[in-house]
Amino acid sequence: MLGFGDPVADAIGLLRPRTVLEPSLRAAGDWALRFDTFPHVKVGGVVRGRCWLTLDGHEPVLLEEGDTYLLGNPPPYVMASSPEARPRPAKPLWEGPTAGIVSIGPDIEQHTYLCGGHLAFDDRNVSVLTDFLPPLVIVRAADPRGRHLAYLIEMLASEVEASAPGGSLAMNHLAQILLVHMLRAHASQSDRPTGWLRALDEDGVGAALRAMHADVAHPWTLTELAQISHMSRSVFAQAFKNQVGVPPLEYLIKWRISLARDALAHDSSSISELAQATGYLSESAFSTAFRRVVGSSPAQFRHQARQTLRSTASGG
C-alpha cells in the first residue's frame, strides 16, 4: 500500500498486470497481417529477420533483428514483409496454433521470427501508465539497452515454444521485466516522454517523486518537496509541472486516490484505515478528496468494485 519509492514498480504493481502471451510468428515470402486495436500494452520483438510495422494513420516503420517494440493503446496496425503487401486479418491465424507458433509462407531458412504478447491492467487505474505512453516505442538493437531487451525476447520465445512445466509463470515474469526495461528505455530516449516517466532520471524532480512514493502517508508540503529537489518552491513547482504534467500536490492527491481505489476493490481495510494510510487526517477529508477525483464516495466505490469482482469471478 505504501509503495517502494519507485514510481515504475509502484505503478506496475498497482495495475495488477495480466500477461497474455501470443503465439510466435514465423513468416517467409510476401506476407502481411492486420491486427485489431486492443486495450493497454503490447510488447514484442524481432528474434530473426525483419518486418514492417504500420499503425493506422502513421508511416511504416522498419523493424530489424534485435529490435524491440512497445505498443500503448494503439490503433489497428499491420505487420508485413513490405509496406506494399496486402494484409489479411491476423485473428483467424491466432486461433489454435501448433506449439505456440503461427507459420506463414514457405518453409525456408530466410524467414522472420517475431515474439510478443500483451499486458492487460486493472481498468480502474490503467491511466496511471497508459496516459503517458505513445502508441509506439521502439528500442533498436544498436541502442545501449537493446542487447538486454533482445535477450529477454529470445527467452520469451523459448518459453513459448517449450510449453514446459512452470512456463506460464516464467512467461508472465519475463513479459513484466520486458515492460520495465522498455519503460526505462523510453524514459532515456531523446524525444522525452511525458508524465512521471520523464522525471525518473532527474535528480531534482525525480527525487521528490520517489520521496512521495516511498511515504505516501506523509503530510508533504511544497516546501519539503522543493528542499528534497534542492530547488526553490517556485522553481520546483514549475519544473515538476513541466516534467510530470501536473503540479506536485495534485500528482500526490491523484496517486493517493489511485492507491485507495485499488485497496477498496481488493483489501479489507476500513475507510478510516485507508484515510490514514494515504495521508489524510480524517475519514471525512479522505472521502471529500476521493469523491472529488472519482465521482463517488469510498463506500459506494467499494460496493460497486466488489460487485464487479464477484460478477467476473462467477462468469457473469
Side-chain angles (χ1 to χ4, degrees):
M1 181 68 186
L2 296 181
F4 304 106
D6 178 343
V8 171
D10 288 347
I12 293 175
L14 179 70
L15 297 179
R16 300 178 181 270
R18 304 178 303 282
T19 304
V20 181
L21 267 297
E22 298 177 345
S24 297
L25 173 65
R26 179 196 173 282
D30 293 325
W31 61 274
L33 295 175
R34 183 171 181 81
F35 294 83
D36 296 329
T37 188
F38 61 90
H40 308 167
V41 170
K42 180 177 285 190
V43 289
V46 184
V47 182
R48 286 191 295 277
R50 63 195 315 218
C51 70
W52 290 84
L53 169 61
T54 308
L55 299 176
D56 278 10
H58 295 73
E59 291 297 313
V61 176
L62 179 62
L63 298 175
E64 300 191 272
E65 189 168 309
D67 290 349
T68 313
Y69 59 89
L70 179 150
L71 302 168
N73 278 339
Y77 65 96
V78 172
M79 304 286 283
S81 57
S82 72
E84 296 77 27
R86 189 167 183 172
R88 55 173 163 164
K91 187 176 179 180
L93 294 174
W94 255 240
E95 296 171 353
T98 302
I101 299 176
V102 169
S103 294
I104 303 174
D107 186 9
I108 57 177
E109 283 192 24
Q110 292 76 28
H111 64 268
T112 295
Y113 189 56
L114 306 174
C115 180
H118 72 263
L119 293 105
F121 302 112
D122 189 324
D123 283 322
R124 280 176 287 269
N125 286 312
V126 69
S127 62
V128 168
L129 178 62
T130 57
D131 279 1
F132 304 133
L133 286 176
L136 175 63
V137 175
I138 297 174
V139 180
R140 299 294 184 183
D143 186 280
R145 299 180 186 270
R147 181 171 58 86
H148 302 293
L149 286 162
Y151 177 65
L152 286 170
I153 287 289
E154 288 181 4
M155 290 184 66
L156 199 56
S158 297
E159 288 293 339
V160 170
E161 292 180 31
S163 297
S168 60
L169 180 64
M171 288 186 286
N172 186 60
H173 285 298
L174 282 169
Q176 292 184 38
I177 293 169
L178 184 62
L179 173 62
V180 170
H181 280 273
M182 288 296 294
L183 292 177
R184 288 176 180 172
H186 176 49
S188 67
Q189 287 174 347
S190 58
D191 52 338
R192 300 294 287 171
T194 59
W196 51 262
L197 284 173
R198 182 173 180 177
L200 293 182
D201 293 330
E202 300 287 342
D203 290 335
V205 170
L209 197 60
R210 290 188 291 272
M212 285 189 275
H213 277 254
D215 190 358
V216 72
H218 182 79
W220 293 107
T221 65
L222 190 62
T223 299
E224 283 181 297
L225 294 169
Q227 289 172 345
I228 290 171
S229 298
H230 302 290
M231 301 178 187
S232 69
R233 280 168 44 107
S234 59
V235 170
F236 167 71
Q238 190 60 53
F240 193 101
K241 186 173 182 179
N242 289 344
Q243 294 182 30
V244 180
V246 294
L249 297 184
E250 182 179 337
Y251 174 88
L252 178 61
I253 290 170
K254 288 184 175 181
W255 178 245
R256 285 170 167 170
I257 299 305
S258 293
L259 291 174
R261 275 194 299 238
D262 182 70
L264 287 165
H266 299 282
D267 296 348
S268 59
S269 303
S270 69
I271 292 175
S272 177
E273 289 170 332
L274 288 179
Q276 184 177 8
T278 51
Y280 290 91
L281 296 178
S282 68
E283 184 176 326
S284 62
F286 167 67
S287 296
T288 298
F290 190 93
R291 184 184 290 275
R292 186 168 62 247
V293 174
V294 179
S296 63
S297 71
Q300 290 170 330
F301 181 88
R302 168 168 273 170
H303 177 71
Q304 293 167 354
R306 296 295 170 87
Q307 277 192 321
T308 300
L309 287 173
R310 283 195 294 269
S311 175
T312 302
S314 64

